[in-house]
């Protein structure tokens, strides 16, 4: 039985009837840009994540770009961001004219390493973009402390983590802005591109609303130069249907991850870090990995609610590509997020270079396996069996 890495139809087709009805409703309304459905969707998401304002936009990328524009970041400014993330985080910084300054990450939770961030501060540093990678919150206590001490703005890139929490608070609701993506492979996957920006600050929200639509207020009067970052009514209406199921999707992802961990950790050569605290410290890294270690499982820290956008394993001893080929041959979907850290991307060749050893190591070691909500027990068992077969050889 093949096990795809993601199966969007398994999630969407059971909702087909309701989605079609929703489409008809929007069709008949004749209103396709923004509007009531969008506003309802914004309040529902804002409430779910615990933020005051939700501002839906055209994509997760545009949410980050808009946040940077609202905060007035641009040429001459430096913005800290992890190197081990999806391109959009840094791409948006560069597009404003500001300089992305790449920071290394924790080998256990894959999120920004604040000690390393401190070493990269300069008089030009104006903001930091922590990414809640793979569905788990970055250490927001440390991020907010750094921001407070150095007067930095904070944009949380929650594209992969909508609904995840850090010490009980929704990710995205802690910094100046939080951003989410509704790209089909994200946990709240839409029917095309879409994204959202959240904030608790009234003035920032107002400026974001204006910049979302060409800096226009009132109509045809432009106080600022914005863009077209608007959201489609249809996208919002369809996403509202899925939002009602969202808690179930999350619980199933969490159950899948828990099952993988329970079964895989029993195998010899498979280890998992202590979930009680972040493993940035060199020492924990050393103690975790011994001579016979082959795989390192991902961890959900006790203070976080992880929503498992990806279940990402580290494959040691240079065997990642071999494991990828093996699983692929057995019909098990898998992929590497991300094979090239951003500080090594060609488009950033012009930036000053420092080695980021953890990001570089992870790019060579990581593999993500299927964790989507609709996986059956048989499928999960098959994934586990094939991983076991691989490490036995
Ligand atoms: C997907 C993603 C984005 C961009 O979202 P889009 O909706 O695809 O534009 C940004 N940051 C991270 C970490 C992502 O995973």
């Amino acid at each position: 039985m093949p096990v795809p890495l993601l199966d969007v139809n398994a999630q969407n087709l059971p909702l087909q009837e309701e989605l079609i009805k929703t489409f008809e409703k929007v069709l008949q309304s004749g209103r396709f840009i923004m509007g009531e459905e969008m506003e309802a969707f914004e309040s529902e998401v804002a409430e779910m994540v615990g933020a005051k304002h939700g501002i839906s936009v055209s994509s997760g990328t545009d949410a980050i770009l808009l946040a940077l524009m609202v905060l007035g970041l641009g040429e001459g400014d430096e913005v800290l961001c992890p190197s081990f993330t999806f391109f959009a985080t840094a791409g948006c910084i560069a597009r404003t004219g500001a300089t992305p300054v790449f920071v290394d990450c924790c080998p256990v939770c894959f999120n920004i390493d604040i000690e390393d961030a401190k070493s990269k501060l300069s008089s030009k540093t104006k903001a930091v973009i922590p990414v809640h990678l793979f569905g788990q919150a970055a250490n927001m206590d440390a991020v907010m402390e750094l921001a407070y001490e150095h007067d930095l703005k904070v944009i949380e890139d929650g594209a992969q983590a909508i609904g995840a929490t850090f010490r009980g608070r929704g990710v995205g609701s802690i910094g100046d802005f939080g951003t989410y993506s509704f790209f089909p492979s994200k946990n709240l996957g839409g029917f095309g591109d879409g994204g959202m920006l959240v904030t608790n600050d009234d003035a920032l929200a107002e400026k974001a609303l204006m910049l979302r639509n060409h800096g226009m207020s009132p109509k045809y009067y432009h106080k600022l130069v914005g863009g077209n970052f608007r959201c489609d009514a249809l996208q919002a209406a369809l996403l509202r249907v899925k939002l009602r199921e969202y808690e179930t999707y999350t619980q199933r992802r969490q159950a899948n991850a828990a099952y993988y961990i329970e079964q895989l950790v029993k195998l010899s050569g498979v280890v998992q870090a202590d979930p009680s605290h972040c493993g940035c410290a060199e020492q924990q890294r050393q103690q975790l990995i011994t001579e016979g270690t082959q795989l390192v499982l991902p961890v959900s820290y006790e203070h976080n609610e992880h929503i498992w956008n990806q279940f990402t394993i580290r494959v040691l001893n240079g065997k990642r590509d071999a494991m990828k080929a093996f699983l692929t041959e057995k019909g098990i979907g898998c992929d590497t997020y991300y094979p090239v850290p951003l500080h090594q991307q060609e488009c950033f060749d012009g930036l000053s270079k420092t080695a980021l050893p953890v990001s570089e190591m992870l790019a060579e070691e990581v593999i993500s396996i299927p964790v989507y909500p609709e996986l059956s027990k048989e499928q999960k068992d098959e994934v586990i069996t094939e991983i076991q077969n691989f490490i036995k050889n």
Side-chain angles (χ1 to χ4, degrees), residues 58-64 85-89 92 131-134 157-160 179-186 192-195 309 338:
S58 29
S59 69
T61 303
D62 285 345
I64 301 169
T85 172
F86 178 60
F87 177 76
T89 318
C92 291
V131 179
H132 306 299
L133 202 69
F134 303 145
D157 181 347
Q160 302 181 6
T179 67
Y180 311 109
S181 163
F182 308 120
F183 185 79
S185 69
K186 303 296 159 83
D193 280 309
N309 179 245
Y338 296 93

Side-chain angles (χ1 to χ4, degrees), residues 131-174:
V131 179
H132 306 299
L133 202 69
F134 303 145
Q136 170 152 247
N139 183 349
M140 287 307 294
D141 282 344
V143 169
M144 296 313 287
E145 194 181 306
L146 178 82
Y148 180 76
E149 279 171 6
H150 300 276
D151 199 18
L152 309 179
K153 300 294 181 192
V154 178
I155 300 168
E156 298 176 65
D157 181 347
Q160 302 181 6
I162 185 167
T165 64
F166 174 79
R167 298 197 194 285
R169 297 174 72 187
V171 306
S173 73
I174 302 167

Side-chain angles (χ1 to χ4, degrees), residues 3-6 256 260 311 332-334 368-372 375 383:
V3 188
L5 184 55
L6 176 67
N256 292 344
Y260 279 148
F311 189 95
I332 309 241
C334 57
S368 296
I369 60 170
V371 72
Y372 65 89
L375 280 175
V383 173

Side-chain angles (χ1 to χ4, degrees), residues 136 167 274-277 299-305:
Q136 170 152 247
R167 298 197 194 285
D274 174 3
S276 68
H277 63 282
V299 171
S300 171
Y301 292 144
E302 284 158 7
H303 58 270
N304 282 341
E305 185 177 353

Side-chain angles (χ1 to χ4, degrees), residues 227-392:
N228 172 3
F229 303 122
R230 296 181 305 246
C231 169
D232 294 341
L234 187 59
Q235 194 59 253
L238 296 172
L239 278 164
R240 289 184 72 200
V241 173
K242 293 190 74 173
L243 190 59
R244 284 177 224 135
E245 313 293 324
Y246 191 63
E247 218 167 280
T248 312
Y249 299 156
T250 299
Q251 284 163 1
R252 288 195 190 149
R253 283 179 184 272
Q254 289 168 338
N256 292 344
Y259 185 68
Y260 279 148
I261 290 166
E262 178 195 299
Q263 298 301 316
L264 291 171
V265 85
K266 292 181 195 157
L267 307 178
S268 90
V270 180
V271 298
Q272 194 194 32
D274 174 3
S276 68
H277 63 282
C278 186
C280 278
E282 182 68 23
Q283 221 180 356
Q284 189 183 348
R285 240 179 277 172
Q286 301 300 358
Q287 287 165 353
L288 180 65
I289 293 167
T290 59
E291 211 175 309
T293 309
Q294 297 197 61
L295 303 183
V296 183
L297 299 177
V299 171
S300 171
Y301 292 144
E302 284 158 7
H303 58 270
N304 282 341
E305 185 177 353
H306 194 325
I307 63 158
W308 299 99
N309 179 245
Q310 299 294 344
F311 189 95
T312 302
I313 299 172
R314 290 173 56 196
V315 187
L316 306 186
N317 313 314
K319 289 196 178 156
R320 192 270 314 276
D321 291 343
M323 178 155 149
K324 212 165 144 181
F326 181 87
L327 293 180
T328 304
E329 201 215 302
K330 302 290 177 186
I332 309 241
C334 57
D335 211 344
T336 290
Y337 307 107
Y338 296 93
V340 183
L342 299 184
H343 69 288
Q344 295 181 330
Q345 295 288 351
E346 193 178 332
C347 64
F348 296 131
D349 273 355
L351 300 179
S352 72
K353 293 265 173 266
T354 51
L356 300 176
V358 179
S359 301
E360 289 162 31
M361 173 185 84
L362 291 176
E364 309 252 302
E365 288 181 350
V366 292
I367 188 169
S368 296
I369 60 170
V371 72
Y372 65 89
E374 296 77 19
L375 280 175
S376 66
K377 169 134 191 327
E378 293 68 35
Q379 286 177 310
K380 281 177 276 187
D381 284 334
E382 194 162 316
V383 173
I384 292 161
T385 304
E386 295 303 349
I387 290 175
Q388 189 170 10
N389 287 340
F390 176 77
I391 59 177
K392 272 196 309 213

Side-chain angles (χ1 to χ4, degrees), residues 2-293:
V3 188
L5 184 55
L6 176 67
D7 182 354
V8 291
N9 285 346
Q11 183 160 96
N12 293 334
L13 296 187
L15 298 171
Q16 186 165 350
E17 219 172 293
E18 207 180 338
L19 291 168
I20 289 173
K21 264 196 221 141
T22 303
F23 173 79
E24 285 170 352
K25 196 171 129 198
V26 175
L27 174 71
Q28 280 158 18
S29 80
R31 176 106 205 235
F32 304 122
I33 305 287
M34 306 204 285
E36 263 171 46
E37 287 285 353
M38 185 197 75
E39 282 167 20
F41 178 55
E42 290 174 339
S43 336
E44 287 162 3
V45 169
E47 192 190 327
M48 177 175 85
V49 303
K52 192 167 173 194
H53 303 279
I55 297 149
S56 51
V57 292
S58 29
S59 69
T61 303
D62 285 345
I64 301 169
L65 184 62
L66 183 55
L68 289 160
M69 287 170 71
V70 172
L71 295 172
L73 293 154
E75 218 166 303
D77 299 330
E78 291 181 356
V79 180
L80 301 170
C81 76
S83 177
F84 190 65
T85 172
F86 178 60
F87 177 76
T89 318
C92 291
I93 299 170
R95 284 172 64 193
T96 66
T99 304
V101 174
F102 295 110
V103 177
D104 216 353
C105 64
C106 166
V108 175
C109 66
F110 310 120
N111 283 322
I112 191 165
D113 177 343
I114 293 297
E115 288 310 310
D116 192 55
K118 285 180 189 162
S119 77
K120 298 203 155 97
L121 288 164
S122 83
S123 58
K124 295 179 181 165
T125 315
K126 295 288 161 54
V128 55
I129 309 188
V131 179
H132 306 299
L133 202 69
F134 303 145
Q136 170 152 247
N139 183 349
M140 287 307 294
D141 282 344
V143 169
M144 296 313 287
E145 194 181 306
L146 178 82
Y148 180 76
E149 279 171 6
H150 300 276
D151 199 18
L152 309 179
K153 300 294 181 192
V154 178
I155 300 168
E156 298 176 65
D157 181 347
Q160 302 181 6
I162 185 167
T165 64
F166 174 79
R167 298 197 194 285
R169 297 174 72 187
V171 306
S173 73
I174 302 167
D176 296 283
F177 278 116
T179 67
Y180 311 109
S181 163
F182 308 120
F183 185 79
S185 69
K186 303 296 159 83
N187 285 30
L188 185 58
F191 304 85
D193 280 309
M196 196 174 294
L197 193 61
V198 295
T199 182
N200 294 312
D201 184 301
D202 297 343
L204 292 180
E206 197 184 320
K207 193 170 171 194
L209 285 174
M210 210 187 282
L211 288 173
R212 172 173 71 177
N213 194 13
H214 298 296
M216 185 157 76
S217 177
K219 209 170 180 186
Y220 304 127
Y221 289 79
H222 301 265
K223 291 198 178 83
L224 301 162
V225 178
N228 172 3
F229 303 122
R230 296 181 305 246
C231 169
D232 294 341
L234 187 59
Q235 194 59 253
L238 296 172
L239 278 164
R240 289 184 72 200
V241 173
K242 293 190 74 173
L243 190 59
R244 284 177 224 135
E245 313 293 324
Y246 191 63
E247 218 167 280
T248 312
Y249 299 156
T250 299
Q251 284 163 1
R252 288 195 190 149
R253 283 179 184 272
Q254 289 168 338
N256 292 344
Y259 185 68
Y260 279 148
I261 290 166
E262 178 195 299
Q263 298 301 316
L264 291 171
V265 85
K266 292 181 195 157
L267 307 178
S268 90
V270 180
V271 298
Q272 194 194 32
D274 174 3
S276 68
H277 63 282
C278 186
C280 278
E282 182 68 23
Q283 221 180 356
Q284 189 183 348
R285 240 179 277 172
Q286 301 300 358
Q287 287 165 353
L288 180 65
I289 293 167
T290 59
E291 211 175 309
T293 309

